[in-house]
Amino acid sequence: MTPAARNGAPTGEVPALAPVLRELRWWDLDAVLELERALFPEDAWSPGMFWSELAYARGPRANRRYVVAEADGRLVGYGGLAAVDGTGDIQTIATARDQWGTGLGARLLTELLSAATAFECREVLLEVRVDNVRAQRLYERFGFEPIGFRRGYYQPGNVDALVMRRTGTDPDTDPDSDPDPDADVDPAGATGAPPGSTAPTAPSDPVQGT
């Protein structure tokens, strides 16, 4: 498949350059928050929650990795991972609507799994809406398996979250080698509250097994 076809461009048209992934910095937060509110109008993270996460993203005791995707000077995606005691937790991953089906979600996920490897995580966890089948297919491609549910995790809609786990963190799936646009992540793919926060998405009970 040619790049033009994979990007949905008509034959002969020069495709747009792929978004560049880089570390999220404090000066990106206004753009991140704008996209966050557009994609998660009911339970968007607050500025304080993002600032709290970034406080742990640098320095000798860093245990967070947050990245953004930028295209033509515009922020079009972001994702974050927390690592605690050998377990990685994908805190959030989202792409702008015009990036759905381009493979950007898979690229962000690959970057976060690489971070989990760098943090020497033995496993990686995430939550995904039970009705988000597209995102679940993406995570399955990367070796995630369902292990339980968090009841009413997504509020105020009271939607359950499927908890998925991946053991072994080497990102052995190349998102460009076997593109599957239908399996790309949408904005509700994996998002939760940072540990210790009081966000409305934070579960009040432990994971419930299947």
Side-chain angles (χ1 to χ4, degrees):
M1 183 179 291
T2 66
R6 192 164 64 229
N7 289 330
T11 303
E13 181 178 327
V14 177
L17 294 176
V20 174
L21 303 189
R22 59 173 176 79
E23 180 185 8
L24 188 156
R25 301 302 306 277
W26 65 265
W27 51 79
D28 297 310
L29 286 183
D30 284 346
V32 169
L33 287 165
E34 182 179 354
L35 187 55
E36 173 83 2
R37 287 188 289 264
L39 297 175
F40 308 107
E42 295 183 333
D43 54 8
W45 282 14
S46 68
M49 291 166 68
F50 276 107
W51 277 107
S52 177
E53 287 294 281
L54 287 184
Y56 295 96
R58 287 199 154 201
R61 297 185 179 181
N63 62 356
R64 300 290 196 276
R65 172 66 173 168
Y66 276 78
V67 296
V68 294
E70 193 173 37
D72 297 325
R74 182 172 69 96
L75 192 145
V76 295
Y78 55 92
L81 174 128
V84 179
D85 296 332
T87 295
D89 195 330
I90 294 179
Q91 299 292 287
T92 185
I93 181 170
T95 62
R97 288 183 175 87
D98 62 356
Q99 296 294 314
W100 295 1
T102 66
L104 179 57
R107 291 182 60 204
L108 287 165
L109 183 56
T110 298
E111 183 71 18
L112 297 181
L113 290 177
S114 294
T117 299
F119 285 129
E120 299 182 349
C121 294
R122 297 181 297 275
E123 63 178 3
V124 178
L125 302 174
L126 59 80
E127 292 86 18
V128 57
R129 290 174 61 106
V130 293
D131 56 2
N132 192 343
V133 178
R134 293 173 64 239
Q136 291 171 31
R137 286 205 303 264
L138 171 67
Y139 302 138
E140 288 170 356
R141 284 173 53 208
F142 279 78
F144 284 89
E145 298 179 346
I147 62 171
F149 296 93
R150 293 189 188 274
R151 303 298 181 186
Y153 185 78
Y154 294 98
Q155 295 294 334
N158 200 37
V159 179
D160 294 346
L162 176 66
V163 182
M164 305 184 76
R165 177 175 63 193
R166 184 183 196 271
T167 55
T169 57
D170 288 333
D172 50 13
T173 299
D174 179 358
D176 292 326
S177 65
D178 184 21
D180 182 2
D182 290 336
D184 199 4
V185 69
D186 70 17
T191 183
S197 77
T198 57
T201 53
S204 57
D205 56 357
V207 174
Q208 302 179 28
T210 55

